[in-house]
Amino acid sequence: MSATVAGNQQQQHPHQEWDINDSNVPRVVEYDPWCEWADGHVRRVYGPDCEEARRHASGWAMRNTNNHNVSILKKSCLGVLVCSQECILPGGGRVHLRPAICDKARKKQQGKPCPNRQCTGRLEILSCRGHCGYPVTHFWRHTEHAIFFQAKGQHDHPRPEAKSTSEARRSVGAGRRVRGLAVLLANEAALGSKLMSLRGTKRPNSEAIEPPRTTQPPPLIPDKGYSCSCPPFECMCGLQTNAPAYQQSHHHQTTMYPQQTAPNDTPYWLQDTVPSQDNALGYNLPNQVPHEASYPDFPSFTGELLQPEEIFQLDQPLRPEFTMNSQEVARSPPTLLDLGSGTIKYEMKQHQDQGYWNQFLSEDSSSSHLSMPQDDRLQFPSFETDKDSNGFCVKRPVNHFVSNKEVNQNHHLNNPLNFQDYQRQHQSHKSFVDGLVKNDQEANYWAQSHQDDRLNFPGFDPRKEEDLLSPRRDVNCFPKENCQPGSYNVYSKKENGMVDPVRPSRSPMENKHYSYDGYSQMFEQSDGKSQLTNRPNQATNRMVLDERLQNNYGRETNPDSTERLFPDSNGMEATMPAQNSPEPFFYPSNDRCHYTCEVLDTRLPQMSMNPTVAQSAMNNYGDVSELDLPPFVDYTLVGMLCSTEEDTSSLLPGCPQNGQNYVPHH
DNA sequence: AGCTGCGGGAACC
DNA sequence: GGTTCCCGCAGCT
């Protein structure tokens, strides 16, 4: 697919506006690269030959929705399957499987035992409410020259496993021996997909099984009721959200919002993170278009590397302290999750592997709380570097600066590091490490860090902490002021101490924020306390970056956006370059969206983090060595692996979310 | 069995 | 009347 306009060009020619609903859409000469995980209010234009676009594919589980417009296909997000107990996988990640599109199949999924063999939870759907309380919607429109895509809303939940993973799991069949799956996955990896294997064991016990339940909430906010005045398909609610994270991914890091609005003294990224990005990551990635089905071509295991089976035999938790080059970073890391030991192993390129594995093997995870740099994830092969519109890899500024204030109020969900911080704070929750639940840690959590965590949680709004959709829902995208009061009240019930009918309080878990990141936890989960101690450091490191960011991206607003390029009066399609620019998309006037800055700052930004979530799963490996698998055991791991890609994109968005982000004008 | 697209219908404004 | 979402159906893989 051809590249889009260069960043500079984009800036000069701000996003020409077009709407999927327009009678005449512009005739695009350049197309956006395929983006599997489009999030936020974005618009993209794909070439007619883009297979993914033609299939209306998406990493998100999107179901068809009738919009009574045959020319425009509408799809809405089904959310993600999560563990009812919000358990943390041995690797630190969380369960987030892909909901079946088919209602029937989806119903079957719900209530199944959590894939985490050490967890007694059940799978339940965490529905998407990213669009003012309703599921995020995707619109597809085909024209003679291009395929137009428009998304509304910001996913307020972790990314589900990749579709390919879900399919693989399905094909393997529940209840099969894990090894079968491992083999399948291994083959996949060899093909450039991913290598995964997992070990299934019998579930420890069958506690009282919770009746299958759905987290599906009733529409909280009538699509129409809320005061958002955004026109159809142009709602900008929550648009800021993804911008930060995605923005990063682009060559032009146009970072808007948080940085601009909040001065901050708290480093958003840890310093160690920076180096890794700049140095470790060369971003010299192959010109590769993100593709749903195409996982980063990580190398398959070779004789020099430990075989999956061998890896699983390790008794000691592994601790990664390694760096990898940019190319490796670009790939999804093959990982192995040993549920038994709770260890996640990453496959590294051989030249690096040796050292990596040596270290890996020699360290004890129990004491590794600090072993992993805050920005380790940046070093993971799975990170896909950003590519410029032309498909060339561009060094992605890792410097995403966010002040403390921002961290608390305007948390960028997209920021992996941010996420990481948060997550670490919550690792003690339901951690099943080495087969044991760390009760003591939980206690600590409540006694020492819980409150703290919340305050530090990105996007956390102290004023409304209880009103967050769900503890698991990291993002609260509901506009405070503009969503209908009535709708909003639904959430406020929680504020009043009311229990969410759908999700009975399970304190202490109840208030826990959903953590998507599995990276940091993988190696640190064993020591919850240490995590907390790290924070100060992290904060300090962020500072420099924040400053830089502000300087560089201080001027986000682009007045030019006012020009409305497309449909020309004569009815002919206006030719325009695809909107790949990372630049924020501003509406000509403020009147289109009434969300207040406060809302955006405090809530929307969180959404951008979502992508990160997926990471949790990402580096987990399944242990191939063991045998019978409970039907569900497999997919957790699989899903986790899948998330790799997701995470990748989220962290360092493989797909330029830049497409066309709408940024609220204030 | 599950995905996808289509269309009817209800609810809301 | 317009828009949204829910649901079922049928074709396809």
Side-chain angles (χ1 to χ4, degrees):
Chain A
M1 195 155 301
S2 67
T4 55
V5 186
N8 291 336
Q9 195 173 344
Q10 283 283 331
Q11 290 186 339
Q12 293 177 5
H13 304 285
H15 317 269
Q16 298 84 347
E17 292 184 33
W18 57 264
D19 188 281
I20 203 81
N21 268 340
D22 291 333
S23 57
N24 295 300
V25 291
R27 178 170 179 173
V28 177
V29 294
E30 295 181 72
Y31 306 114
D32 291 312
W34 168 248
C35 177
E36 180 181 9
W37 298 100
D39 198 2
H41 293 70
V42 300
R43 291 181 290 204
R44 305 182 72 80
V45 181
Y46 300 113
D49 58 343
C50 178
E51 184 57 29
E52 293 83 3
R54 297 202 311 198
R55 290 188 290 106
H56 307 144
S58 175
W60 303 100
M62 306 298 293
R63 62 170 288 167
N64 181 282
T65 300
N66 181 25
N67 65 343
H68 299 286
N69 184 339
V70 295
S71 64
I72 300 173
L73 176 64
K74 178 183 177 181
K75 291 189 164 191
S76 56
C77 182
L78 289 169
V80 62
L81 267 177
V82 299
C83 171
S84 62
Q85 295 191 13
E86 306 171 27
C87 69
I88 293 175
L89 294 167
R94 299 211 187 225
V95 174
H96 44 78
L97 305 182
R98 185 182 189 84
I101 303 302
C102 173
D103 292 346
K104 185 179 177 181
R106 194 166 58 255
K107 287 177 182 177
K108 287 167 62 180
Q109 289 179 318
Q110 298 176 48
K112 282 190 175 182
C114 173
N116 182 350
R117 64 181 179 179
Q118 296 171 333
C119 171
T120 59
R122 296 272 160 177
L123 293 178
E124 61 184 14
I125 294 238
L126 178 59
S127 61
C128 178
R129 294 179 187 169
H131 186 221
C132 298
Y134 284 110
V136 169
T137 51
H138 286 180
F139 297 89
W140 295 92
R141 177 174 176 176
H142 292 245
T143 67
E144 184 180 355
H145 307 287
I147 299 173
F148 291 81
F149 168 80
Q150 186 166 349
K152 288 177 67 178
Q154 179 96 26
H155 296 276
D156 61 344
H157 54 84
R159 291 182 184 182
E161 60 185 334
K163 184 179 178 182
S164 58
T165 301
S166 177
E167 292 173 345
R169 183 181 64 224
R170 209 170 56 228
S171 65
V172 169
R176 281 200 195 172
R177 297 174 77 83
V178 176
R179 183 172 295 273
L181 175 59
V183 171
L184 181 155
L185 296 174
N187 291 335
E188 230 184 335
L191 295 174
S193 296
K194 23 177 116 174
L195 172 66
M196 13 182 180
S197 53
L198 38 101
R199 170 175 67 184
T201 60
K202 298 186 174 177
R203 299 179 70 75
N205 71 55
S206 337
E207 288 181 358
I209 296 172
E210 300 177 14
R213 51 179 173 165
T214 342
T215 56
Q216 182 111 13
L220 300 177
I221 303 172
D223 228 19
K224 291 219 151 174
Y226 66 101
S227 50
C228 170
S229 60
C230 303
F233 304 104
E234 291 183 322
C235 175
M236 297 177 290
C237 316
L239 62 153
Q240 283 188 346
T241 46
N242 66 346
Y246 292 107
Q247 296 289 336
Q248 288 181 40
S249 60
H250 292 297
H251 37 299
H252 283 302
Q253 309 267 336
T254 30
T255 313
M256 20 205 178
Y257 28 143
Q259 291 87 349
Q260 298 175 354
T261 58
N264 68 17
D265 297 335
T266 304
Y268 182 70
W269 296 64
L270 300 181
Q271 277 193 343
D272 41 352
T273 304
V274 175
S276 63
Q277 286 267 337
D278 293 342
N279 301 331
L281 307 183
Y283 294 106
N284 296 324
L285 299 177
N287 185 350
Q288 175 181 13
V289 177
H291 187 291
E292 170 192 329
S294 62
Y295 290 89
D297 54 323
F298 49 77
S300 56
F301 285 115
T302 64
E304 296 185 37
L305 294 175
L306 292 174
Q307 295 301 312
E309 290 79 0
E310 293 175 302
I311 294 171
F312 296 130
Q313 294 173 10
L314 298 175
D315 293 332
Q316 297 296 319
L318 304 178
R319 158 173 111 179
E321 278 193 41
F322 53 93
T323 59
M324 46 185 80
N325 62 32
S326 59
Q327 295 182 0
E328 291 170 339
V329 172
R331 305 186 189 119
S332 298
T335 58
L336 294 174
L337 166 61
D338 183 340
L339 291 178
S341 66
T343 299
I344 294 175
K345 296 101 174 175
Y346 298 83
E347 179 189 7
M348 306 300 291
K349 276 202 159 186
Q350 292 184 12
H351 59 281
Q352 297 178 340
D353 297 341
Q354 194 57 54
Y356 169 79
W357 287 109
N358 289 340
Q359 183 173 16
F360 209 45
L361 296 173
S362 65
E363 297 191 31
D364 181 334
S365 64
S366 63
S367 61
S368 64
H369 53 288
L370 292 176
S371 65
M372 191 171 208
Q374 289 296 322
D375 49 345
D376 283 348
R377 63 174 70 180
L378 294 177
Q379 299 177 11
F380 288 171
S382 62
F383 293 136
E384 201 169 310
T385 60
D386 195 12
K387 304 177 186 71
D388 66 7
S389 54
N390 293 321
F392 293 98
C393 298
V394 179
K395 202 160 197 171
R396 182 191 327 255
V398 181
N399 315 331
H400 202 160
F401 304 90
V402 177
S403 64
N404 276 333
K405 197 170 182 180
E406 291 176 357
V407 169
N408 294 334
Q409 298 179 358
N410 302 321
H411 202 316
H412 298 193
L413 297 179
N414 285 337
N415 190 312
L417 294 180
N418 231 350
F419 225 156
Q420 193 170 40
D421 287 347
Y422 166 73
Q423 195 166 22
R424 290 181 179 180
Q425 297 168 1
H426 295 274
Q427 292 176 9
S428 59
H429 301 286
K430 297 247 178 187
S431 293
F432 296 89
V433 177
D434 296 333
L436 299 176
V437 176
K438 301 197 172 181
N439 295 326
D440 58 329
Q441 288 185 1
E442 289 192 28
N444 289 335
Y445 175 83
W446 282 103
Q448 303 174 8
S449 62
H450 185 70
Q451 185 63 38
D452 201 12
D453 291 348
R454 299 175 67 151
L455 295 176
N456 286 291
F457 181 67
F460 171 73
D461 182 348
R463 296 169 298 180
K464 304 181 75 66
E465 59 176 325
E466 296 300 343
D467 91 43
L468 295 180
L469 299 179
S470 164
R472 302 174 224 199
R473 198 179 295 277
D474 56 336
V475 181
N476 185 331
C477 64
F478 301 91
K480 250 191 264 193
E481 274 94 43
N482 294 304
C483 282
Q484 282 214 331
S487 303
Y488 192 67
N489 290 339
V490 173
Y491 294 103
S492 34
K493 286 182 178 180
K494 276 193 169 185
E495 292 179 290
N496 297 331
M498 294 179 69
V499 175
D500 182 341
V502 177
R503 292 173 173 279
S505 175
R506 291 184 296 278
S507 177
M509 300 301 292
E510 182 64 15
N511 293 323
K512 177 185 58 185
H513 294 283
Y514 204 75
S515 159
Y516 304 114
D517 178 17
Y519 281 102
S520 58
Q521 293 179 351
M522 320 195 251
F523 303 97
E524 298 182 343
Q525 56 182 351
S526 59
D527 185 340
K529 290 182 180 179
S530 62
Q531 299 170 7
L532 294 176
T533 61
N534 288 338
R535 278 194 236 152
N537 243 352
Q538 302 173 359
T540 305
N541 294 332
R542 295 174 181 166
M543 192 139 186
V544 174
L545 294 174
D546 285 343
E547 294 175 358
R548 290 172 57 183
L549 221 182
Q550 291 182 354
N551 292 334
N552 295 332
Y553 307 112
R555 47 181 186 82
E556 301 283 347
T557 309
N558 194 333
D560 292 342
S561 61
T562 57
E563 46 181 302
R564 185 105 183 153
L565 307 179
F566 57 118
D568 49 19
S569 54
N570 56 22
M572 293 183 68
E573 291 182 344
T575 299
M576 59 175 277
Q579 329 270 327
N580 243 0
S581 167
E583 270 188 69
F585 200 95
F586 290 90
Y587 281 95
S589 61
N590 297 333
D591 57 325
R592 298 186 88 167
C593 182
H594 301 302
Y595 290 113
T596 64
C597 296
E598 179 184 10
V599 171
L600 292 173
D601 292 343
T602 59
R603 306 178 77 104
L604 295 177
Q606 299 176 29
M607 298 197 231
S608 49
M609 268 173 118
N610 290 336
T612 320
V613 175
Q615 326 227 347
S616 52
M618 123 186 255
N619 304 303
N620 299 319
Y621 257 107
D623 184 335
V624 191
S625 61
E626 307 269 356
L627 335 177
D628 292 332
L629 273 192
F632 25 84
V633 172
D634 358 359
Y635 26 121
T636 299
L637 300 178
V638 176
M640 298 175 84
L641 291 173
C642 302
S643 348
T644 301
E645 185 177 12
E646 312 162 0
D647 299 349
T648 301
S649 58
S650 60
L651 294 178
L652 302 176
C655 49
Q657 290 289 340
N658 43 7
Q660 298 164 11
N661 291 315
Y662 302 115
V663 175
H665 198 141
H666 295 289

